Amino acid sequence: MTKIKLQKRLASEIFNCGKRKIWIDPIEINEIALTDSRGSIKKLIKDGCIIKKNTQKHSRNRIKLRKEAKRMGRHKGLGKREGTLDSRNPVKIAWMIRQRVLRNLLKRYRQLRKIDIHLYRELYLKSKGNVFKNKRVLIDYIHKAKFEASRKKFLLEEFNRKRDKGKLSRIKKIDKFNKKMKNIYQNYEIN
């Protein structure tokens, strides 16, 4: 078998790759062995006697499958865990996310005029004080607070109406009593 070490080296320099990436046509090997210049190697490359092999692909199929399995909850048992529970899923991050969700909801409700600024301020401070576990609890609280406010308003109106009615009835009674006393006084003067 003929030696083609030089030709491989020259071809790898021309292609700017490693020697193992060079493919030499086994049929034309005797002709290739006679060449010793870069020019003749370039001519052989042009003819297709010397070819640069394709780069091997690094398959990510295994990684893809493993990620899918992890999404389903596999490979996450006690033996696979490194680090404390807080380092894996920090409490602070969960708190930040919850606060952002609650505050965004409050801001949106305030812009839509579903809650007034006083209720907004109260709920903002309550959410900061960890009163609401999640968004659903906050929405329920808002509904209850709005219902309670409307109930208080209705009761206050009812109370004011009754008070005004009582005032009118008292005034009428006083007027009636005054008329009666006037009549008695006039009758007394006449006699």
Side-chain angles (χ1 to χ4, degrees), residues 114-115 119 141-151:
K114 287 189 177 181
I115 56 173
L119 186 59
Y141 188 92
I142 289 169
H143 288 310
K144 282 178 187 171
K146 283 172 78 174
F147 175 74
E148 194 64 35
S150 64
R151 190 170 149 272

Side-chain angles (χ1 to χ4, degrees), residues 4-185:
I4 46 168
K5 206 172 180 182
L6 171 73
Q7 288 77 2
K8 265 199 172 180
R9 182 177 62 77
L10 291 171
S12 70
E13 282 176 15
I14 291 164
F15 279 125
N16 195 21
C17 66
K19 287 178 212 164
R20 69 191 187 93
K21 285 269 186 261
I22 303 299
W23 178 84
I24 292 171
D25 190 2
I27 298 164
E28 304 288 331
I29 204 153
N30 293 327
E31 190 186 320
I32 293 165
L34 297 171
T35 59
D36 57 352
S37 66
R38 284 172 197 275
S40 52
I41 294 288
K42 280 179 183 173
K43 190 173 178 288
L44 288 168
I45 288 168
K46 199 174 181 184
D47 295 342
C49 297
I50 299 172
I51 300 169
K52 181 186 174 184
K53 288 180 191 172
N54 289 331
T55 53
Q56 280 188 328
K57 298 285 187 289
H58 184 82
S59 175
R60 287 192 56 81
N61 192 47
R62 276 175 291 115
I63 292 103
K64 215 180 283 180
L65 291 171
R66 196 166 181 86
K67 268 190 179 177
E68 261 177 51
K70 272 196 173 185
R71 263 186 234 117
M72 286 158 63
R74 315 293 187 264
H75 317 292
K76 285 192 174 185
L78 292 170
K80 290 286 178 184
R81 294 178 199 175
E82 281 187 19
T84 60
L85 188 67
D86 191 49
S87 69
R88 284 167 65 83
N89 192 10
V91 175
K92 186 178 178 181
I93 302 296
W95 166 263
M96 279 161 57
I97 290 164
R98 188 171 4 132
Q99 285 305 304
R100 282 174 190 161
V101 166
L102 297 176
R103 285 173 184 176
N104 287 338
L105 179 79
L106 287 172
K107 202 186 289 182
R108 197 166 70 243
Y109 271 30
R110 185 183 59 184
Q111 284 171 349
L112 296 170
R113 302 282 167 89
K114 287 189 177 181
I115 56 173
D116 62 335
I117 52 171
H118 304 293
L119 186 59
Y120 170 81
R121 179 52 43 199
E122 182 193 329
L123 295 174
Y124 187 95
L125 292 171
K126 276 187 190 286
S127 66
K128 188 181 179 182
N130 200 20
V131 173
F132 310 114
K133 189 171 73 172
N134 52 36
K135 199 160 117 176
R136 185 177 46 80
V137 174
L138 176 59
I139 291 167
D140 288 345
Y141 188 92
I142 289 169
H143 288 310
K144 282 178 187 171
K146 283 172 78 174
F147 175 74
E148 194 64 35
S150 64
R151 190 170 149 272
K152 275 184 183 175
K153 192 178 178 185
F154 174 74
L155 288 172
L156 188 66
E157 285 171 4
E158 193 73 20
F159 173 74
N160 288 337
R161 195 172 54 77
K162 283 183 179 177
R163 188 177 61 188
D164 293 342
K165 194 178 176 185
K167 272 184 186 175
L168 283 171
S169 67
R170 273 199 302 281
I171 290 166
K172 280 182 184 176
K173 274 184 185 178
I174 290 166
D175 286 343
K176 198 175 179 184
F177 178 74
N178 286 342
K179 278 183 186 176
K180 197 175 182 185
M181 289 308 288
K182 210 176 198 181
N183 286 339
I184 291 169
Y185 184 68

